[in-house]
Amino acid sequence: MARNPIQFQPGLSLPAFLEQYGTEAQCQAALFQHRWPKGFVCPECGNSTGCRLSRGHYQCHRCHHQTSLTAGTIFHATHLPLTIWFLAIYLLTQRKSGISALQLSRELGVAYNTAWKLKHKLMQVMHERNQGEKLSGRIEIDDAYLGGERPGKRGRGAEHTFPFVAAVQTDEAGHPQRVQLRRVSGFSLVGIRRYAQQAIAPGSQVISDGLWCFRAFDTPIYSHDRHITGGGRASVKNPEFNWVNTLLGNVKNAITGTYHAPRYLAEFEYRFNRRYDLSAMIPRFLTVATRTPPMPYRLLKMAEAYA
Ligand SMILES: [Zn+2]
């Protein structure tokens, strides 16, 4: 089946990126601006006067607490120069298909394990950002799985290890605007109700197939179109599910395996939803990064601690 092409805007060029974020001082200034847009604020007592000690370290004038630009953020206790972090953000956000940890280690000139940690911390930032967002308007929705075969629509069974909902918000003309890939506890009424509360704005028009659990949308809060498709290839051809099927094809090409799947889904969702705004992605990413709490390696390694 021919897939609809998904358009991405050209991003920030590498020279343009380096001009803005090529030195440690530039990266520190950018981080400061996103962390403390109205000037230094002591994380201990909230006081707004302090002095810069050295290398991104600050001391509060009131309680004398010392802190750094990176303390308490996703950059916490890093041994890497900020220029390496920023370049990693650039490589992860500006490329249409993202970048693997192995590729990242080669391009940054760091060890694989370092690149892996870097990538997963950045994906955590994307996850944090996605969590607050809801889809609205016309939404195509489908059940999906990672980690097992999906032999047509009726292959919903125990062999599927990672259930998630794939949703696409389209405009009036049926073109995709935003996507969502969210883990659910299962395809039960309770699981989908919880999902709906977190992910779908009231008043939305939800289009699903006849899967029982999608009756969770049969409430006055939503308008729900159920399309009984009969399963198998017929459902794939149903034009109502055009975009959600395209999306799922792309996701499954991009993600192999289910370990850390929530983070990979978050990365896909984040980049897709910002595909028309690539050059603004770095400053916006930094804002969220300074609000994302540190993620120690032991948590990073655990897929389940994350979701
Ligand atoms: Zn203080």
Side-chain angles (χ1 to χ4, degrees):
M1 174 183 148
R3 300 249 171 241
N4 297 316
I6 289 168
Q7 304 291 322
F8 277 74
Q9 196 190 52
L12 193 63
S13 72
L14 188 54
F17 165 80
L18 290 172
E19 202 175 302
Q20 286 180 66
Y21 306 111
T23 70
E24 200 62 13
Q26 284 175 313
C27 294
Q28 281 187 4
L31 212 53
F32 186 95
Q33 197 201 328
H34 288 279
R35 180 159 190 200
W36 292 309
K38 292 175 187 160
F40 171 80
V41 178
C42 173
E44 203 62 23
C45 74
N47 174 47
S48 60
T49 54
C51 56
R52 186 163 180 268
L53 299 173
S54 63
R55 290 169 286 113
H57 286 73
Y58 298 82
Q59 183 166 26
C60 173
H61 278 166
R62 189 160 79 189
C63 74
H64 305 294
H65 174 74
Q66 289 187 7
T67 189
S68 74
L69 260 182
T70 54
T73 73
I74 198 71
F75 307 100
H76 190 86
T78 183
H79 298 298
L80 290 172
L82 287 177
T83 48
I84 294 289
W85 276 92
F86 276 56
L87 194 51
I89 293 169
Y90 175 80
L91 294 171
L92 194 66
T93 59
Q94 302 295 302
R95 290 190 179 176
K96 185 182 163 187
S97 52
I99 187 166
S100 70
L102 185 62
Q103 261 179 307
L104 198 59
S105 80
R106 288 178 181 150
E107 301 220 14
L108 297 178
V110 299
Y112 175 79
N113 197 40
T114 304
W116 187 92
K117 284 191 279 187
L118 205 48
K119 178 171 173 168
H120 279 258
K121 285 178 182 179
L122 298 180
M123 291 196 297
Q124 176 73 18
V125 173
M126 294 173 165
H127 174 77
E128 300 267 339
R129 181 68 188 91
N130 292 343
Q131 287 313 296
E133 299 180 337
K134 288 183 178 181
L135 297 185
S136 60
R138 183 187 177 279
I139 300 161
E140 298 172 16
I141 197 170
D142 207 358
D143 61 311
Y145 311 84
L146 285 174
E149 288 302 304
R150 186 173 181 265
K153 293 288 288 179
R154 293 295 166 249
R156 293 154 164 150
E159 74 271 26
H160 304 299
T161 57
F162 186 91
F164 65 100
V165 172
V168 181
Q169 176 184 323
T170 72
D171 62 15
E172 301 275 301
H175 297 130
Q177 293 182 306
R178 306 177 65 79
V179 305
Q180 249 182 11
L181 304 163
R182 299 291 170 86
R183 178 176 207 167
V184 288
S185 53
F187 290 106
S188 62
L189 214 48
V190 172
I192 298 302
R193 266 192 200 128
R194 190 177 306 136
Y195 159 81
Q197 243 172 17
Q198 290 166 353
I200 308 292
S204 299
Q205 179 199 3
V206 177
I207 297 144
S208 75
D209 69 6
L211 192 65
W212 167 259
C213 62
F214 290 138
R215 284 175 187 272
F217 290 104
D218 291 341
T219 80
I221 300 172
Y222 303 105
S223 105
H224 183 198
D225 298 342
R226 287 172 87 232
H227 291 257
I228 314 293
T229 57
R233 298 210 160 268
S235 69
V236 175
K237 286 179 188 157
N238 189 327
E240 292 291 341
F241 296 104
N242 201 8
W243 276 109
V244 85
N245 280 308
T246 301
L247 169 71
L248 283 174
N250 283 298
V251 170
K252 284 172 186 198
N253 287 340
I255 301 174
T256 51
T258 58
Y259 205 61
H260 304 301
R263 255 178 240 148
Y264 286 107
L265 292 178
E267 182 197 349
F268 194 98
E269 178 180 323
Y270 185 95
R271 281 192 295 103
F272 185 93
N273 289 344
R274 286 154 185 82
R275 68 200 179 284
Y276 293 129
D277 204 11
L278 287 184
S279 44
M281 223 200 281
I282 292 174
R284 290 165 69 184
F285 188 97
L286 289 174
T287 303
V288 188
T290 57
R291 286 159 180 68
T292 302
M295 169 103 336
Y297 188 41
R298 72 189 154 75
L299 287 184
L300 219 49
K301 279 188 300 183
M302 292 191 299
E304 294 311 317
Y306 166 84

